[in-house]
Amino acid sequence: MSFESLKPEIKTIVLNDKLSVDERLLKICELLEANIDYYNWVGFYFKNGDKHELKLGPYVGEPTDHTIIPFGKGICGQVAISNKNFVVPDVFAQDNYIACSITVKAEIVIPIFVNGENIGQIDIDSNTPDPFTEADERFLEFICVEVAKIIK
């Protein structure tokens, strides 16, 4: 399924206020993991209150021990500080990478902004080397803008 054909489905999920925010986020994770072959782990991390750390939110994929990530640690922790997209074509080439699974080859993390503040991110792991393109970045940015609308 193409990114463009998934956008209306993302909007439908986001607008479904019969579901909790976490239920909607989980549905987004499930949609992405089921429809994009190289999205093998899809999840959200959010700033943990006033602490300088991220807390794992809804996700699909292999279970992870990384439920709390300090700012600056790993790819997600770096995005929490830089406020910029981070595309990692080869996780083994990164010094500051937190391994979640030996099968993961690449990662992409896109921040979520609410009122100009980085409040979280979407994190995608892939078991395929170097799969992410600019189209992935633009699509995930679209998702983050949509998700920001339901985060209070």
Side-chain angles (χ1 to χ4, degrees):
M1 202 175 253
S2 75
F3 293 145
E4 286 306 310
S5 64
L6 289 172
K7 284 182 177 182
E9 293 191 50
I10 296 292
K11 284 183 176 268
T12 299
I13 292 168
V14 166
L15 292 172
N16 185 354
D17 59 7
K18 290 182 173 65
L19 298 176
S20 71
V21 170
D22 278 357
E23 288 170 327
R24 288 182 263 178
L25 294 175
L26 181 60
K27 286 203 169 295
I28 290 170
C29 293
E30 291 168 342
L31 179 73
L32 297 181
E33 192 271 338
N35 288 284
I36 303 171
D37 293 345
Y38 54 94
Y39 284 19
N40 303 112
W41 190 98
V42 180
F44 290 92
Y45 281 93
F46 292 98
K47 188 171 182 218
N48 191 9
D50 290 335
K51 299 176 184 170
H52 289 278
E53 64 186 23
L54 297 165
K55 184 175 184 180
L56 180 63
Y59 74 94
V60 295
E62 291 287 318
T64 179
D65 293 334
H66 305 290
T67 57
I68 300 289
I69 298 176
F71 283 10
K73 186 142 174 62
I75 308 307
C76 291
Q78 291 176 73
V79 169
I81 292 173
S82 74
N83 299 321
K84 292 185 170 71
N85 298 353
F86 200 156
V87 181
V88 182
D90 177 5
V91 295
F92 300 106
Q94 284 292 316
D95 290 337
N96 189 2
Y97 170 71
I98 303 171
C100 291
S101 166
I102 58 168
T103 60
V104 175
K105 305 282 190 287
E107 183 173 9
I108 185 170
V109 179
I110 308 294
I112 301 167
F113 295 96
V114 173
N115 298 323
E117 180 187 355
N118 181 347
I119 56 93
Q121 52 203 227
I122 190 168
D123 178 21
I124 316 269
D125 288 345
S126 180
N127 299 341
T128 304
D130 196 10
F132 304 115
T133 66
E134 190 173 321
D136 291 277
E137 279 193 81
R138 299 297 83 81
F139 176 61
L140 294 171
E141 287 169 349
F142 161 82
I143 291 172
C144 289
V145 167
E146 292 300 310
V147 165
K149 295 173 183 175
I150 59 172
I151 302 296
K152 308 263 184 292

